[in-house]
Amino acid sequence: MQDTQNTTVLNSFRHAAQRGEFLVTAEVAPPKGADVTHMISMAATLKGRVHAVNITDGSRAVLRMSSLAASVLLLQEGIEPICQFACRDRNRIALQADLMGANALGIRNILALTGDPVKVGDHPHAKGVFDFESVRLLQLIRKMNQGVDDNEKPFTDGGTDLFAGAAVDPQSPSWSGLQKRFERKIEAGAQFFQTQMITDFERMEKFMDTVAGGYNKPILAGIFLLKSAKNALFINRCVPGVNIPQHIIDRLAQAKDPIEEGMKIAAEQVQVARQLCQGVHMMAVKREDLIVPILNLAGVTLN
C-alpha cells in the first residue's frame, strides 16, 4: 500500500532492530477517557530517547482508549508507536480491518498479543472473543504483508507493511512450554520480542543461551520501576509469574527515598540486560517521566 501525502511513517525502530542496535522502548497507557493530554505529555518526555513507545491495548482487560487511536495521536507528535493488538476483543474480520487501517495511518510496529482474560478486568461480564491467539495473529500479519487475507485471497488494493513482534516470559515455570511457544512465534513471523517484567536475570541469561540465542531476533528485557516496598509486595502478590527478590524489597523498605532507590535498581537492571540481550522495554506506570532519568543513570543513549 502506498502512503498518502499526509501520512507520516516512522520506521526507526525496525531499522535499528535490523542493524543490530541496542533497542530501547517504553510503555505508555492510553487514557481512560477522552482527554489525551497526560498520555501525550508522558510520551513527549521519551521523544529522542527511545526507539518507540509501546501503546497498551486494554492491558489487564481494563477499559482504556483504543490503542490504534492513541498510536495515531503519538505519530502526529513525531513519536514512533508500537501498537499492541490483543485478540481478546476482536474477531478475525475486525483484526484484519484494524491492521489495514493501522498500516494506512502510518503505524507499522505491531505487538501481537492474545490478551488478558476478561474476568480479571473492570468489565468481567463482557464477552471475550479470542477468535485468534497471538501465534495465529502473527501468521495473519505475515499473510497480510504478502498481500492476502486470512482466507488466502489476494487483496485488491495492496498488502500491508507491518513489523510484527510478540511477548515472551523467560520466567515461565514450564521451560519446555516456553521454548515451544517461543519457537512457534518465530515460525509464525515474529520479528522482535518484548519480555514480561524481569526479576530473575539468571533465568533471563539461561533463556538467551538455550532458547533465543540461535534465532537472531531482538529480545527486549522488561524493566519495571518499583516505587516502594509496598509496590513490590503488591506485584509479588497479584502478578502471576513475578517474584521480586527479598533483597530488592529490603532496599526499597530501607531507602530514605524509595522512588529514587527504585530508579537506581531499574538502572542497574538495564545495565545487566545490556550484557544479555538486544534491548530493554521500560515500564514505569504513571511515572513515565522517570524513564529518561533511569536511562541516564544506566548510561544508555540512542545510537
Side-chain angles (χ1 to χ4, degrees):
M1 178 179 288
Q2 296 297 316
D3 300 310
T4 64
Q5 186 175 2
N6 294 325
T7 298
T8 299
V9 178
L10 300 177
N11 274 321
S12 65
F13 176 70
R14 184 190 316 210
H15 295 155
Q18 293 171 341
R19 288 193 298 265
E21 294 179 18
F22 186 77
L23 303 171
V24 183
T25 62
E27 189 165 287
V28 173
K32 191 167 185 176
D35 187 350
V36 298
T37 305
H38 180 72
M39 178 193 74
I40 290 175
S41 67
M42 289 295 99
T45 67
L46 303 166
K47 190 173 182 179
R49 292 302 308 270
V50 302
H51 290 96
V53 172
N54 194 301
I55 298 295
T56 58
D57 185 15
S59 178
R60 296 179 291 109
V62 172
L63 172 66
R64 286 185 178 273
M65 179 181 288
S66 155
S67 59
L68 178 54
S71 293
V72 171
L73 291 168
L74 292 197
L75 197 60
Q76 291 172 351
E77 300 292 324
I79 300 166
E80 182 168 356
I82 298 174
C83 185
Q84 290 187 8
F85 264 69
C87 299
R88 176 191 58 243
D89 306 319
R90 306 173 178 91
N91 66 15
R92 68 193 70 189
I93 298 172
L95 285 167
Q96 290 173 95
D98 282 351
L99 287 165
M100 285 188 283
N103 190 94
L105 291 165
I107 298 165
R108 298 301 162 84
N109 306 311
I110 304 294
L111 191 71
L113 302 171
T114 300
D116 298 310
V118 170
K119 65 181 181 181
V120 305
D122 61 353
H123 286 66
H125 300 299
K127 184 177 180 180
V129 180
F130 295 110
D131 193 14
F132 278 5
E133 44 71 51
S134 58
V135 173
R136 293 196 65 188
L137 178 54
L138 288 165
Q139 293 168 341
L140 173 64
I141 293 170
R142 183 170 59 188
K143 286 181 181 180
M144 295 179 68
N145 283 345
Q146 294 167 349
V148 299
D149 67 16
D150 186 54
N151 293 323
E152 306 285 351
K153 294 182 178 179
F155 289 135
T156 58
D157 299 304
T160 56
D161 178 30
L162 300 171
F163 190 60
V168 65
D169 185 5
Q171 296 164 156
S172 171
S174 171
W175 197 256
S176 61
L178 167 65
Q179 182 167 0
K180 182 178 179 180
R181 190 149 181 83
F182 178 80
E183 291 172 350
R184 286 185 65 207
K185 290 181 178 181
I186 291 282
E187 292 168 3
Q191 298 299 309
F192 67 95
F193 289 84
Q194 292 178 333
T195 82
Q196 307 293 350
M197 173 186 177
I198 297 297
T199 55
D200 185 343
F201 284 89
E202 290 184 4
R203 181 86 171 179
M204 181 70 184
E205 184 174 14
K206 181 182 177 183
F207 168 76
M208 293 302 303
D209 289 342
T210 64
V211 176
Y215 289 99
N216 197 32
K217 297 295 182 183
I219 310 293
L220 284 72
I223 307 297
F224 189 92
L225 171 63
L226 297 168
K227 304 179 185 71
S228 66
K230 183 179 179 180
N231 179 215
L233 290 168
F234 173 82
I235 290 170
N236 273 354
R237 185 171 64 254
C238 298
V239 180
V242 173
N243 182 24
I244 299 167
Q246 187 61 44
H247 70 88
I248 296 291
I249 296 172
D250 291 342
R251 276 184 64 177
L252 292 164
Q254 296 164 9
K256 292 182 179 179
D257 187 336
I259 290 183
E260 182 178 330
E261 192 67 24
M263 292 172 64
K264 291 178 182 177
I265 292 167
E268 293 165 9
Q269 292 175 337
V270 169
Q271 291 171 330
V272 173
R274 203 171 188 177
Q275 305 305 312
L276 301 177
C277 55
Q278 196 186 326
V280 288
H281 176 56
M282 307 298 296
M283 295 171 279
V285 179
K286 298 181 180 180
R287 290 307 309 267
E288 292 87 353
D289 56 306
L290 297 179
I291 289 175
V292 168
I294 291 169
L295 294 173
N296 290 338
L297 284 172
V300 172
T301 58
L302 299 189
N303 291 347

